[in-house]
Amino acid sequence: MPAMGKMRFCLILLLHIVIICKSANVDTISSDVKFKNVDRTIDIASQLVKITSKITLENSGKSPVKSFLLAVEASAQSKIAHISVKDANNKDLRVTETTVQGYNNVKFWRVELKETINAASTAAVTAESVFTKALQPYPTAIGQQEDQLVKYNGNLYIYTPYQVMSQKSNIIMNTKNIESFTKVKPFSQQDGAIQYGPYSNIEPFTEKELSVHYKNNSPFLTVTRVERLIEVSHWGNIAVEEIIEVEHTGAKLKGPFSRYDYQQDHHSGPASVRSYKTLLPASASDVYYRDTNGNISTSNMKVKKDSVELDLRPRYPLFGGWRTHYTLGYNVPSYEYLYHSGNEYLLKMRVVDHIFDDMQVDELVTKIILPEGSVNIKINVPYPVTRLPDSLHYTYLDTKGRPVITFTKANVVENHIQDFQLRYTFPRLLMLQEPLLVVGFLYTLFLCVIIYVRLDFSIHKSEHQHKE
């Protein structure tokens, strides 16, 4: 009987541990937190939707508040690419994805404040979010001479689990050509902007459709896939190569394409993409750019103080539904990105580089090839990624193969241009491996030549032996 009691006690204890572990990333909605004032700016001038919300938090309870929640409705969850929050001092706050019981269709983030909000006090924060593919071409197909019209469908109010006392919204389009938009008083329209509000006493999780139909000829370029290969060498060089697939995801071209009209009239194809600029590190050298037909001679490179600007011009202009595929590579000195102390090494490089302004990447694959013999590999990425199984890469003079670290991420934007940190151990004596292999190969080759020259492998007798 005592044994059975101990067993039950252990099972109950294990159950409690499991429940605690499961609820570690579960939050609750505090009724003490209110949004006293919200001032939103919705930028839909490019192919990305960028929402900046200046929020004044109010603690209406009696106990201090250390964190609050941000939420995104179900219709926008697949489109959000990045979210960040800063305090009144422009310092980044920690943002962690979380869940709230009973709200399975809502996506939540917990924002941890650097300073607690005392009772009856307020604090100001700024939340920034970026959405991809939130603008839909309407109509979906246009002629070569036509402008591109798009529709934005969003929420007129900030989607939040808290009560909002007052809110204003400002829609920025940078165009006067607005076909239609949602009209909820009070509102006003001036040039390329629409102002909504102020609206008072908005209940939590309130949704009201906001629709804007307007002209947008900005480049609707999507990188459907980019494979970024970083090959590290301890002999002073890091080689970077990117295989990039690009598609114009705007309104598709209706009817035939006339190259004559396109070249004669600069206003022809206003929604097409003739060229775009890619930014490389300032120390980039030996830059090459080629597609399936070979080198692109129409690309121009400009060296600046903090970057190398590469003006890429595809072989043909990109209209809606058209694609291109190319390879971009360059070298950078390892001393700018690789640090070491003894046998311990630290690599700090970007997860992804700037491809073009307001870029959106459907799939990013980053591969890091380390020198042969690297062990104890640990990687730290600034945001969640999917780590793929490690593999080996073989090149000349390799015996066991070079370790390859691979990870992927979907829905990437410019905000994801951040550094990863990769630590590994590499015995410095292994740097002699390749020179010794070369010396050993040459020694064996010369030895074989000497043996071949010195020895006589003929099967007939010499004349001197025949005369005797």
Side-chain angles (χ1 to χ4, degrees), residues 122-171:
T122 61
V125 297
T126 301
E128 296 181 356
S129 53
V130 180
F131 296 82
T132 60
K133 300 182 179 178
L135 302 177
Q136 302 301 321
Y138 190 79
T140 57
I142 57 176
Q144 183 175 330
Q145 306 292 336
E146 294 182 89
D147 290 314
Q148 178 175 258
L149 300 177
V150 300
K151 257 190 176 183
Y152 167 68
N153 291 317
N155 192 355
L156 182 64
Y157 307 116
I158 184 172
Y159 192 76
T160 176
Y162 310 112
Q163 186 178 12
V164 180
M165 309 306 294
S166 178
Q167 175 193 311
K168 293 188 297 183
S169 296
N170 186 27
I171 317 296

Side-chain angles (χ1 to χ4, degrees), residues 71-83:
V72 169
E73 55 268 47
S75 59
Q77 288 180 17
S78 62
K79 302 172 184 176
I80 187 165
H82 174 78
I83 188 167

Side-chain angles (χ1 to χ4, degrees), residues 47 111 167 181 205 207 232 261 314 320 343 399 448 459-460:
Q47 68 170 339
V111 182
Q167 175 193 311
F181 63 93
F205 300 111
E207 291 187 70
V232 180
D261 293 340
N343 294 332
T399 56
C448 292
I459 59 177
H460 66 276

Side-chain angles (χ1 to χ4, degrees), residues 270-320:
S272 66
V273 178
R274 302 171 186 262
S275 65
Y276 52 86
K277 289 181 171 57
T278 292
L279 299 182
L280 305 180
S283 57
S285 61
D286 304 324
V287 180
Y288 58 91
Y289 167 49
R290 62 175 184 269
D291 61 6
T292 53
N293 295 329
N295 185 46
I296 305 296
S297 59
T298 54
S299 58
N300 297 315
M301 189 173 70
K302 184 186 298 183
V303 179
K304 296 185 175 182
K305 291 183 179 180
D306 56 349
S307 64
V308 173
E309 185 180 275
L310 194 62
D311 186 10
L312 302 183
R313 186 178 297 273
R315 293 184 183 273
Y316 49 86
L318 295 177
F319 285 86

Side-chain angles (χ1 to χ4, degrees), residues 331-468:
N331 295 320
V332 291
S334 57
Y335 68 84
E336 290 191 1
Y337 304 94
L338 189 62
Y339 312 90
H340 73 92
S341 176
N343 294 332
E344 302 297 326
Y345 287 80
L346 172 64
L347 176 68
K348 291 180 63 176
M349 291 193 72
R350 289 177 175 178
V351 175
V352 63
D353 255 323
H354 176 279
I355 302 177
F356 47 78
D357 292 338
D358 296 317
M359 70 179 190
Q360 59 181 26
V361 180
D362 288 344
E363 181 187 9
L364 165 68
V365 180
T366 301
K367 296 183 179 180
I368 307 152
I369 303 177
L370 299 177
E372 187 179 30
S374 302
V375 293
N376 301 328
I377 302 170
K378 297 179 181 179
I379 188 169
N380 182 24
V381 186
Y383 38 78
V385 298
T386 302
R387 177 84 177 266
L388 299 183
D390 297 346
S391 58
L392 294 175
H393 177 76
Y394 292 90
T395 57
Y396 53 88
L397 300 178
D398 287 340
T399 56
K400 297 185 297 182
R402 306 184 182 190
V404 181
I405 312 301
T406 307
F407 57 86
T408 67
K409 182 168 179 59
N411 210 6
V412 175
V413 292
E414 284 182 287
N415 304 81
H416 293 115
I417 302 178
Q418 301 180 37
D419 290 341
F420 67 84
Q421 295 185 359
L422 192 147
R423 301 178 185 272
Y424 63 94
T425 303
F426 179 82
R428 304 191 70 181
L429 287 176
L430 288 180
M431 293 187 67
L432 299 176
Q433 176 178 318
E434 292 184 1
L436 289 177
L437 285 174
V438 174
V439 171
F441 172 76
L442 293 176
Y443 177 80
T444 304
L445 178 63
F446 291 149
L447 184 62
C448 292
V449 172
I450 292 172
I451 293 174
Y452 179 79
V453 172
R454 295 273 183 180
L455 297 181
D456 185 6
F457 295 97
S458 60
I459 59 177
H460 66 276
K461 295 182 179 181
S462 62
E463 291 185 7
H464 178 71
Q465 291 177 343
H466 182 70
K467 290 180 180 179
E468 290 181 351

Side-chain angles (χ1 to χ4, degrees), residues 14-30:
L14 181 61
L15 182 61
H16 278 290
I17 292 174
V18 171
I19 292 174
I20 291 172
C21 291
K22 284 186 176 180
S23 62
N25 206 29
V26 176
D27 281 89
T28 57
I29 299 173
S30 174

